[in-house]
Amino acid sequence: MSHISLQPLSSSIRGVSISISASKTSLSFSFLRFSFRSTRIRAMASHVIGYPRMGPKRELKFALESFWDGKSSAEELQKVAAELRASIWKQMADAGIKYIPSNTFSYYDQVLDTTAMLGAVPPRYSWNGGEIGFDVYFSMARGNASVPAMEMTKWFDTNYHYIVPELGPDVKFSYASHKVIEEYKEAKAMGVDTVPVLVGPVSYLLLSKPAKGVAKSFSLLSLIDKIIPVYKQVVAELKAVGATWIQFDEPTLVKDLDSHQLQTFTHAYSELESSLSGLNVLIETYFADVPAETYKTITSLKAVTGFGFDLVRGTKTLDLIKGGFPSGKYLFAGVVDGRNIWANDLASSLTNLQTLESIVGKDKVVVSTSCSLLHTAVDLVNETKLDTEIKSWLAFAAQKVVEVNALAKALSGQKDEAYFSANAAAQASRKSSPRVTNEAVQKAAAALKGSDHRRATNVSARLDAQQKKLNLPILPTTTIGSFPQTMDLRRVRREYKAKKISEDVYVMAMKEEINKVVKLQEELDIDVLVHGEPERNDMVEYFGEQLSGFAFTVNGWVQSYGSRCVKPPIIYGDVSRPKAMTVFWSSMAQNMTKRPMKGMLTGPVTILNWSFVRNDQPRFETCYQIALAIKDEVEDLEKAGINVIQIDEAALREGLPLRKSEQDFYLKWAVHSFRITNCGVQDTTQIHTHMCYSNFNDIIHSIIDMDADVITIENSRSDEKLLSVFREGVKYGAGIGPGVYDIHSPRIPSTEEIADRINKMLAVLESNILWVNPDCGLKTRKYTEVKPALSNMVAAAKLLRSQLASAK
């Protein structure tokens, strides 16, 4: 592939002529004629931290996947990206936002963009310097035929994933991607003066990991003086092209940092101070309260003009501000929730803003979002099928931009009375609506709080009983649940939903697909089968559609990683299960084979964490309600003869609060919720759970406390980091399947490579508890990748079985 610059198309708006750096030829196309003669009376003090980049109809997703499949060119991908960026900047400018962000757009992930900017490319990608192109960039994100991708993990406590930088003492940083400059210039050519956004240097290092072969004890912060020169170059170039503000995202500041980490932070911004002279500098934090010591440290930084705080999840930060705020500095007050889809209570927010203004000073409060709007759906306008009453309670990213500006106008004395009045009516309607409350559900959930739910016998006794019933070989093989979702399959689901085909035709199509998946697994000689989940759109949405208290969108997509988007359901009321949800399909699949068939469920904590959750009651109360609904389903599956039931808790770690003081309470109710789901089953029913893409080492004792019989867990992209907890002496008596290959990459691992991984696991885990499985579900892969990968996986398990038998 030719060298393609990651920098955006350079554009001059008025026609519009677009030149593309990827080729000598230039490509022209016309945007809508953008006019920025806005209806604003004057620019209000309003700010948005970041905005979704996939597009209102997932335009970037389809452009990326078309490019990756070789069906479209780099130029075509860049054209879609440029149109999306232009429309976002125009939307914010037209809404009256004063501080509009740039460089929050990404082709994959903003941390990976920073890695590219710093030239911190791991050696395995054979980058030879120069501007980093799509080939190297996407290889780091997705792997390629010869080398694996970089690790991917959760971005703090969200369902967004970032690509983890791999650093060591020998890394040579160099300014290798000018994307931030080009995007600033691109917006400026449209008449929009933006605030360029960078991942701050300290957070970048704290979000990194030691590269392979580098001692785990290596201090990543020791690299601060090596990366600061690159940041200085970027800042100098931004000043040269006319930037007046710059935003450093430093979200790690909300964590419990030690004194050394805080000193590094002070050091970094002191080093940058002379470079930043003449620029307005915003340090942005989000997702939680800033600890008192951290608040003191950052508010004393000389080079900084403004400080951004999340005042939705970080309500205690208000007390710190009341205790003192540096004179003459700006407070970027994050009062509009970037993590949820509920309309802002404007009256309440305005009261808080007026209080802040009295402390900070008039004209020093900037109304902002609590975090980037990346974590919310794009535009409510595209929801034509949503119930009118429920729709009136909601605000997606586009509506939140309007809320931010409405609050800024009201704060400056230009309150839109009609807008505030409609908002108050919607708030009142939500509080009083009978569809929100179900008394029986409330009582049942309340009764759970003081109790403890556990299975009657311990896990080793249960595993013995299960082995007698299931008669599995040593190192049993299984998959995580889903099989590839082909275009035909999606079409059938779509047609059934649109009532274009009858239920009989739909059921027959699903039955054929399940039969195909069962036969394939039998041919591959997998031990515990799955039905492949052809009837499911998404592991949370599918269940939400069958539970009461949930609402759904058509275009409420949110980016999870790369081009992958999820469509979180909206939990607006009390949750219950009107009827069985999966028993029909699981029973059908079990009747097709003599091998054990797993019943597949999503656990209560994951349904909670991967939904937009009601904010009018504590999260644990909603979780207990979901747990009771899943408990009913588990018991119905058991009655139907399903002896292995997997209750996925992929998002258990993700929901862990960022502050240590809040973690114990969360883990207690999250683990309790899981145990509620299966405490009533017999010893012979084997309960599995699955977790992925998180750092589990710090919650291993909670995982043990979940008391599942078998846990399958992501492991391959993180260099077996998970295994280190067992090396360090944690005893785990239940079954465990650390993933043996990465399903988020198209790469097919060899039998030898998988066998090598299993051997590493056998060095720290007993062979009688080890399972062999991929990292995650196979939904996003193609059968041409899945068949050989699973074939090699089974071959590796058999090879190890024979070696273990010989050793005896």
Side-chain angles (χ1 to χ4, degrees):
M1 188 171 112
S2 63
H3 181 86
I4 294 160
S5 167
L6 262 190
Q7 55 200 39
L9 306 169
S10 61
S11 64
S12 66
I13 305 300
R14 272 200 198 164
V16 163
S17 171
I18 299 290
S19 66
I20 298 173
S21 59
S23 72
K24 300 267 167 87
T25 61
S26 79
L27 177 77
S28 291
F29 65 97
S30 287
F31 283 121
L32 299 168
R33 288 182 178 274
F34 291 137
S35 163
F36 291 97
R37 288 191 296 274
S38 164
T39 52
R40 291 171 277 167
I41 297 164
R42 65 183 178 85
M44 301 301 156
S46 52
H47 167 246
V48 173
I49 293 177
Y51 199 84
R53 52 227 186 192
M54 278 292 133
K57 301 276 179 77
R58 293 182 293 162
E59 291 86 346
L60 184 61
K61 170 193 172 67
F62 300 120
L64 281 166
E65 290 171 1
S66 173
F67 173 68
W68 293 337
D69 288 344
K71 292 173 184 167
S72 61
S73 66
E75 291 88 345
E76 288 166 305
L77 171 58
Q78 287 173 310
K79 176 183 168 181
V80 170
E83 288 176 316
L84 279 171
R85 286 192 296 270
S87 67
I88 291 165
W89 291 324
K90 177 189 185 319
Q91 181 188 337
M92 288 200 223
D94 282 354
I97 300 298
K98 182 177 179 182
Y99 302 106
I100 296 171
S102 61
N103 199 42
T104 57
F105 175 87
S106 177
Y107 286 100
Y108 207 94
D109 161 52
Q110 73 273 17
V111 181
L112 182 62
D113 292 351
T114 312
T115 295
M117 181 185 87
L118 295 167
V121 181
R124 67 180 177 276
Y125 300 108
S126 308
W127 174 62
N128 299 315
E131 189 82 6
I132 286 174
F134 278 169
D135 47 356
V136 172
Y137 180 82
F138 287 130
S139 290
M140 290 193 285
R142 307 177 71 236
N144 60 39
S146 54
V147 288
M150 291 166 74
E151 183 186 349
M152 183 163 68
T153 198
K154 292 288 168 81
W155 177 246
F156 294 85
D157 58 350
T158 75
N159 186 28
Y160 177 77
H161 304 65
Y162 75 96
I163 302 292
V164 184
E166 302 170 13
L167 306 175
D170 302 326
V171 66
K172 289 183 173 58
F173 296 102
S174 64
Y175 188 10
S177 166
H178 293 66
K179 174 180 172 291
V180 59
I181 310 296
E182 294 304 322
E183 280 192 26
Y184 175 79
K185 283 158 60 177
E186 190 181 336
K188 195 147 190 188
M190 292 174 54
V192 187
D193 189 18
T194 58
V195 178
V197 179
L198 295 171
V199 175
V202 185
S203 288
Y204 178 78
L205 293 176
L206 290 173
L207 291 165
S208 303
K209 69 171 188 178
K212 208 168 187 173
V214 173
K216 282 202 177 101
S217 58
F218 172 68
S219 166
L220 292 155
L221 290 181
S222 68
L223 298 171
I224 195 70
D225 289 326
K226 284 189 172 185
I227 69 169
I228 289 295
V230 182
Y231 275 90
K232 284 181 175 176
Q233 283 178 272
V234 178
V235 168
E237 212 170 313
L238 282 169
K239 277 160 77 169
V241 295
T244 54
W245 275 85
I246 184 168
Q247 175 178 319
F248 290 104
D249 281 5
E250 292 279 11
T252 52
L253 285 168
V254 302
K255 299 185 95 171
D256 298 292
L257 302 183
D258 61 32
S259 57
H260 168 62
Q261 291 166 325
L262 284 177
Q263 280 160 12
T264 306
F265 191 85
T266 304
H267 170 71
Y269 283 89
S270 299
E271 285 294 305
L272 283 168
E273 195 175 325
S274 57
S275 304
L276 294 168
S277 173
L279 269 178
N280 290 298
V281 179
L282 167 61
I283 299 279
E284 191 57 72
T285 70
Y286 36 80
F287 298 151
D289 279 302
V290 171
E293 197 54 40
T294 303
Y295 178 83
K296 210 162 89 185
T297 302
I298 63 170
T299 52
S300 61
L301 293 171
K302 288 181 193 155
V304 182
T305 320
F307 307 94
F309 300 113
D310 181 339
L311 301 180
V312 175
R313 290 193 171 219
T315 48
K316 293 176 195 154
T317 304
L318 274 172
D319 295 331
L320 295 174
I321 296 165
K322 285 173 186 171
F325 191 80
S327 174
K329 304 278 183 175
Y330 287 89
L331 169 65
F332 284 69
V335 293
V336 172
D337 193 351
R339 293 278 295 267
N340 217 327
I341 43 64
W342 302 107
N344 189 279
D345 183 340
L346 296 177
S348 170
S349 291
L350 185 57
T351 303
N352 284 339
L353 289 165
Q354 286 162 339
T355 303
L356 290 168
E357 198 175 51
S358 69
I359 301 160
V360 173
K362 200 147 183 63
D363 299 331
K364 291 297 178 192
V365 174
V366 180
V367 182
S368 184
T369 54
S370 66
C371 62
S372 171
L373 299 176
L374 172 73
H375 309 286
T376 191
V378 181
D379 197 342
L380 202 50
V381 166
N382 298 314
E383 300 305 327
T384 51
K385 295 179 180 172
L386 200 56
D387 176 277
T388 318
E389 185 185 26
I390 292 172
K391 192 173 177 177
S392 75
W393 304 340
L394 307 178
F396 291 0
Q399 288 69 46
K400 288 175 186 291
V401 167
V402 176
E403 287 180 339
V404 165
N405 207 57
L407 284 164
K409 282 175 78 173
L411 193 61
S412 68
Q414 297 171 45
K415 187 176 177 187
D416 183 337
E417 294 293 352
Y419 184 73
F420 268 69
S421 163
N423 174 268
Q427 298 290 326
S429 136
R430 188 176 161 213
K431 280 191 179 85
S432 61
S433 176
R435 67 203 304 172
V436 171
T437 313
N438 178 330
E439 231 168 283
V441 171
Q442 293 263 342
K443 278 183 185 157
L448 297 170
K449 283 177 209 167
S451 52
D452 188 31
H453 294 77
R454 287 181 185 273
R455 292 173 78 179
T457 47
N458 68 32
V459 70
S460 58
R462 298 197 308 262
L463 286 172
D464 286 346
Q466 290 155 17
Q467 183 54 20
K468 284 190 184 103
K469 187 160 192 168
L470 299 171
N471 194 27
L472 297 171
I474 201 159
L475 305 180
T477 54
T478 190
T479 66
I480 304 305
S482 59
F483 264 67
Q485 297 234 333
T486 61
M487 298 291 279
D488 278 351
L489 199 52
R490 292 174 196 271
R491 179 184 49 76
V492 170
R493 276 211 314 264
R494 231 177 10 252
E495 287 175 354
Y496 176 58
K497 203 169 185 179
K499 299 188 167 56
K500 289 181 182 171
I501 57 172
S502 69
E503 187 170 6
D504 288 348
V505 170
Y506 170 72
V507 169
M508 186 53 66
M510 293 301 116
K511 187 174 182 179
E512 280 173 22
E513 182 68 21
I514 291 168
N515 195 38
K516 185 178 89 177
V517 168
V518 169
K519 281 198 160 47
L520 171 63
Q521 291 171 94
E522 287 185 329
E523 283 163 21
L524 291 166
D525 206 14
I526 290 171
D527 301 304
V528 175
L529 311 192
V530 297
H531 78 287
E533 304 175 15
E535 78 287 4
R536 302 186 191 183
N537 43 10
D538 173 85
M539 62 182 285
V540 172
E541 189 174 20
Y542 175 77
F543 289 96
E545 282 173 344
Q546 300 179 80
L547 294 166
S548 62
F550 281 76
F552 300 88
T553 63
V554 175
N555 286 297
W557 297 99
V558 179
Q559 185 181 12
S560 176
Y561 64 86
S563 68
R564 171 98 170 117
C565 299
V566 292
K567 191 147 56 72
I570 297 163
I571 305 178
Y572 67 84
D574 291 333
V575 177
S576 61
R577 185 195 76 141
K579 60 181 196 304
M581 303 181 283
T582 64
V583 176
F584 174 77
W585 303 110
S586 291
S587 304
M588 176 194 284
Q590 183 62 82
N591 290 335
M592 293 173 180
T593 181
K594 291 189 165 60
R595 299 183 186 215
M597 174 63 61
K598 276 198 280 193
M600 299 299 308
L601 303 173
T602 303
V605 185
T606 299
I607 290 177
L608 182 88
N609 284 333
W610 287 357
S611 298
F612 289 125
V613 184
R614 58 191 292 189
N615 57 0
D616 59 346
Q617 70 176 18
R619 287 172 74 86
F620 69 82
E621 287 186 18
T622 305
C623 200
Y624 283 164
Q625 292 178 3
I626 303 167
L628 288 171
I630 299 297
K631 181 178 193 285
D632 290 345
E633 188 71 14
V634 167
E635 288 166 9
D636 281 352
L637 279 168
E638 185 183 59
K639 282 178 204 150
I642 304 296
N643 297 313
V644 182
I645 301 169
Q646 182 170 309
I647 307 162
D648 285 342
E649 281 297 17
L652 184 109
R653 172 63 178 76
E654 173 190 312
L656 189 71
L658 301 174
R659 299 293 300 281
K660 291 193 178 93
S661 58
E662 297 162 24
Q663 291 177 356
D664 190 48
F665 177 65
Y666 165 79
L667 287 168
K668 279 198 169 87
W669 64 253
V671 168
H672 186 199
S673 296
F674 178 82
R675 289 203 309 261
I676 287 164
T677 64
N678 60 84
C679 62
V681 299
Q682 298 167 29
D683 283 3
T684 48
T685 298
Q686 190 168 79
I687 298 294
H688 288 225
T689 190
H690 170 68
M691 295 180 178
C692 56
Y693 288 93
S694 287
N695 180 10
F696 301 102
N697 303 27
D698 52 353
I699 62 158
I700 191 68
H701 294 289
S702 295
I703 291 172
I704 293 168
D705 200 31
M706 286 168 74
D707 200 26
D709 298 312
V710 178
I711 179 169
T712 51
I713 205 158
E714 183 277 322
N715 173 65
S716 66
R717 263 204 191 191
S718 50
D719 297 326
E720 284 87 22
K721 207 163 39 180
L722 169 77
L723 299 180
S724 64
V725 296
F726 304 113
R727 268 186 219 107
E728 285 152 20
V730 170
K731 292 279 173 258
Y732 193 72
I736 184 164
V740 295
Y741 79 91
D742 174 21
I743 68 88
H744 290 90
S745 167
R747 192 171 162 273
I748 297 160
S750 66
T751 300
E752 294 71 28
E753 186 182 323
I754 295 173
D756 182 53
R757 281 189 185 279
I758 299 169
N759 265 323
K760 283 180 182 167
M761 294 169 191
L762 286 169
V764 289
L765 293 165
E766 297 295 327
S767 59
N768 65 331
I769 63 166
L770 189 61
W771 284 64
V772 176
N773 47 264
D775 262 349
C776 232
L778 305 168
K779 181 163 85 172
T780 59
R781 299 267 56 91
K782 297 181 173 74
Y783 272 105
T784 50
E785 299 155 353
V786 164
K787 285 179 187 174
L790 289 180
S791 177
N792 292 349
M793 182 187 87
V794 173
K798 288 180 174 177
L799 177 70
L800 268 294
R801 279 175 204 158
S802 62
Q803 286 175 5
L804 287 167
S806 305
K808 279 181 183 171

